[in-house]
C-alpha cells in the first residue's frame, strides 16, 4: 500500500544552520503530499503541502518540492531557529483524505 | 480558529475496562473525523474514518468491535476501546475536517490521548 519513509533518527543542529529532512513515498498514482509539525505539548499542525508533481509548498521559511522522478518530498529550511525545535512528519493522502505518515523526525536546534 | 479538543489527555485504567475518548471540534462543524494510533517511535496509523450520522469506515486490520466509533453530531466523535488490555496501550489522536472525506479539506488535529492499561 501507499507509504512514506523518513530518514532515521533525530536531527540536532545549531541555530542558523541549514535543515534538510528527507522523505520518500511509495504510491499508486500521484497523491497529495504534506509536512506536519508537532511542537512540544501541542497537536500536529499542517506546515505545508503540495498537490501535484513539481509543486513547491512553503511556509514559515520551510520549503518542499514534489518530485515525481525521485518520489521525494524533502523538507528544507535555510536558517533554523530555536523555535523550530519540534517533530516533523511527512505524510501522503491515499484517498478520501486518509493520511499515511512517516515515523517523524525530532529536530533540536541549539542556540 | 479550527480548534480540536481531545479528552481526556491521559487515562490509566485496569485491564478489562472500557475507555471512551472524546474528540470535539470547538469552532467548526466536523462532518468527518479521523482516528489515529501511534506507538512509541512509530508513525501515526489511521484506524478509521468517522462520518457524522453514519457508520465509521475502518482500515484493514482494525477490529471494529474492539474500537467502537460514534459520530452522532457535527462537533463530537467518540472512540471507545472495549475491554482494554495492555496491548491497547498507545497514543490515540483524532483529527477533524469540514465536509466529507472526499472533499480533502484540511485536517485539524487534537492533542492526543495517552492510554495506559495496567
Amino acid at each position: 500500500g501507499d507509504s512514506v519513509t523518513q530518514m532515521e533518527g533525530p536531527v540536532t543542529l545549531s541555530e542558523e544552520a541549514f535543515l534538510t529532512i528527507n522523505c520518500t513515498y511509495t504510491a499508486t498514482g500521484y497523491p497529495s503530499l504534506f509536512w506536519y509539525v508537532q511542537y512540544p505539548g501541542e497537536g500536529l499542525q499542517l506546515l505545508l503541502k503540495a498537490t501535484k508533481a513539481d509543486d513547491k509548498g512553503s511556509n514559515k521559511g520551510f520549503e518542499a518540492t514534489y518530485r515525481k522522478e525521485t518520489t521525494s518530498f524533502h523538507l528544507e529550511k535555510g536558517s533554523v531557529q530555536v523555535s523550530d525545535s519540534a517533530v516533523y512528519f511527512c505524510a501522503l493522502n491515499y484517498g478520501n483524505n486518509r493520511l499515511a505518515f512517516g515515523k517523524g523526525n525530532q529536530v533540536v536546534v541549539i542556540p | 480558529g479550527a480548534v480540536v479538543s481531545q479528552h481526556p489527555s491521559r487515562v490509566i485504567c485496569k485491564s478489562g475496562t472500557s475507555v471512551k475518548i472524546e474528540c470535539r471540534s470547538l469552532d467548526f462543524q466536523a462532518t468527518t473525523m479521523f482516528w489515529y494510533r501511534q506507538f512509541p517511535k512509530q508513525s501515526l496509523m489511521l484506524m478509521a474514518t468517522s462520518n457524522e450520522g453514519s457508520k465509521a469506515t475502518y482500515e484493514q486490520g482494525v477490529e471494529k468491535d474492539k474500537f467502537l466509533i460514534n459520530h452522532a453530531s457535527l462537533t463530537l466523535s467518540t472512540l471507545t476501546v472495549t475491554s482494554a488490555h495492555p496491548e491497547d496501550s498507545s497514543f490515540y489522536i483524532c483529527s477533524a475536517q469540514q465536509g466529507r472525506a472526499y472533499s480533502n479539506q484540511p485536517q485539524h488535529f487534537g492533542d492526543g490521548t495517552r492510554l495506559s492499561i495496567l
Side-chain angles (χ1 to χ4, degrees), chain A residues 36 38 41-44 46 49 89 93-99 101-103, chain B residues 34 36 38 41-44 46 49 59 97 101-102 104-105 107 109-111:
Chain A
Y36 281 84
Q38 186 173 29
E42 301 183 13
L44 275 78
L46 178 64
K49 70 176 184 179
F89 293 90
N93 178 349
Y94 61 99
N96 287 327
N97 222 11
R98 295 172 298 167
L99 298 178
F101 285 87
K103 290 185 178 181
Chain B
F34 301 88
Y36 296 85
Q38 185 181 26
K41 298 185 179 181
Q42 299 296 318
S43 60
L44 283 76
L46 180 65
T49 302
E59 295 298 297
Q97 67 162 87
Y102 57 75
N104 292 323
Q105 296 290 316
Q107 291 185 38
F109 285 79
D111 289 349

Side-chain angles (χ1 to χ4, degrees), chain B residues 39-96:
Chain B
F39 290 105
K41 298 185 179 181
Q42 299 296 318
S43 60
L44 283 76
M45 300 295 294
L46 180 65
M47 299 173 67
T49 302
S50 170
N51 305 291
E52 186 271 332
S54 62
K55 292 183 178 180
T57 304
Y58 290 80
E59 295 298 297
Q60 191 172 9
V62 178
E63 299 177 61
K64 300 179 183 182
D65 296 331
K66 177 72 171 177
F67 301 100
L68 299 178
I69 292 172
N70 183 278
H71 192 163
S73 80
L74 284 171
T75 59
L76 174 65
S77 176
T78 60
L79 168 69
T80 301
V81 184
T82 61
S83 186
H85 292 285
E87 60 266 27
D88 299 321
S89 299
S90 190
F91 194 57
Y92 293 87
I93 304 169
C94 73
S95 70

Side-chain angles (χ1 to χ4, degrees), chain A residues 32-107:
Chain A
S32 294
L33 302 174
F34 307 84
W35 277 99
Y36 281 84
V37 59
Q38 186 173 29
Y39 297 105
E42 301 183 13
L44 275 78
Q45 302 174 27
L46 178 64
L47 180 60
L48 54 84
K49 70 176 184 179
T51 58
K52 60 183 187 296
D54 300 325
D55 264 5
K56 177 185 285 187
S58 62
N59 186 26
K60 298 181 180 180
F62 291 88
E63 292 184 343
T65 301
Y66 193 138
R67 301 284 189 200
K68 183 177 65 174
E69 320 79 51
T70 54
T71 61
S72 65
F73 193 55
H74 305 321
L75 182 68
E76 298 181 337
K77 185 172 185 180
S79 177
V80 294
Q81 305 300 312
V82 172
S83 57
D84 293 323
S85 298
V87 182
Y88 293 82
F89 293 90
C90 186
L92 64 78
N93 178 349
Y94 61 99
N96 287 327
N97 222 11
R98 295 172 298 167
L99 298 178
F101 285 87
K103 290 185 178 181
N105 287 102
Q106 174 84 53
V107 172

